[in-house]
């Protein structure tokens, strides 16, 4: 059984790989400050994206993105403001907040490979054994 921290790392690595293959440049992973933490900060063109990654091995507690509470959204926004204030080079970028939702087979978590399908708001990411992942674009 995969522990939560390890599962989170697998999800964040898969999300980073997926974003990179989709033309995003990863600026920070696990960015933290006194206000909280953001899983991934990435840019594409003039867009700066603050990304929360939620990874699950089943749907018994609902879809992963459903666990992002109003409190978490507020916290991410505050951390994003802190990041922007302390990184002037991004002050004239467009900002977006996304959730990447990943559902994986807990027994196949070591075999993650990401696709580059970027043609819709729901992006499919597959592991090498064919398990489906979904990236759900979800502006807060």
């Amino acid at each position: 059984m995969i522990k939560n921290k390890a599962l989170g790392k697998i999800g964040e690595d898969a999300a980073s790989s997926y974003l990179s293959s989709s033309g995003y440049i990863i600026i920070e992973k696990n960015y933290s400050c006194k206000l909280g933490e953001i899983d991934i900060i990435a840019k594409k063109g003039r867009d700066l994206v603050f990304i929360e990654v939620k990874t699950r091995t089943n749907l018994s507690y609902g879809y992963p993105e459903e666990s992002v509470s109003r409190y978490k959204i507020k916290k991410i926004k505050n951390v994003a403001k802190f990041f922007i204030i302390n990184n002037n080079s991004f002050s004239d970028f467009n900002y977006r907040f996304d959730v990447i939702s990943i559902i994986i087979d807990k027994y196949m978590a070591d075999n993650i490979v990401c696709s580059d399908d970027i043609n819709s708001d729901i992006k499919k990411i597959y592991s090498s054994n064919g398990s489906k992942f979904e990236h759900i674009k979800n502006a807060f």
Side-chain angles (χ1 to χ4, degrees), residues 99-119:
V99 172
I100 296 182
S101 173
I102 301 174
I103 303 163
I104 62 173
D105 179 338
K106 63 184 174 184
Y107 301 108
M108 299 299 175
D110 293 331
N111 300 312
I112 294 174
V113 177
C114 297
S115 78
D116 59 357
D117 174 19
I118 58 171
N119 295 322

Side-chain angles (χ1 to χ4, degrees), residues 6-86:
L7 182 63
K9 171 112 174 68
I10 290 167
E12 288 173 11
D13 288 348
S16 293
S17 177
Y18 171 76
L19 289 164
S20 294
S21 71
S22 298
Y24 288 84
I25 297 169
I26 306 297
I27 304 300
E28 294 271 351
K29 286 176 74 173
N30 302 111
Y31 175 80
S32 64
C33 66
K34 60 185 177 184
L35 301 172
E37 187 250 350
I38 294 176
D39 294 329
I40 300 172
I41 301 172
K43 73 174 187 167
K44 186 173 187 180
R46 301 302 297 166
D47 292 330
L48 188 63
V49 188
F50 299 93
I51 302 159
E52 176 72 8
V53 180
K54 290 295 182 183
T55 309
R56 301 284 186 271
T57 57
N58 61 58
L59 296 177
S60 59
Y61 295 104
Y63 288 96
E65 67 275 12
E66 294 172 343
S67 68
V68 181
S69 66
R70 288 180 189 251
Y71 173 76
K72 182 64 176 177
I73 292 167
K74 183 178 178 181
K75 201 168 191 174
I76 291 170
K77 285 182 178 181
N78 288 333
V79 175
K81 287 177 192 174
F82 184 88
F83 177 84
I84 293 163
I85 288 168
N86 289 287

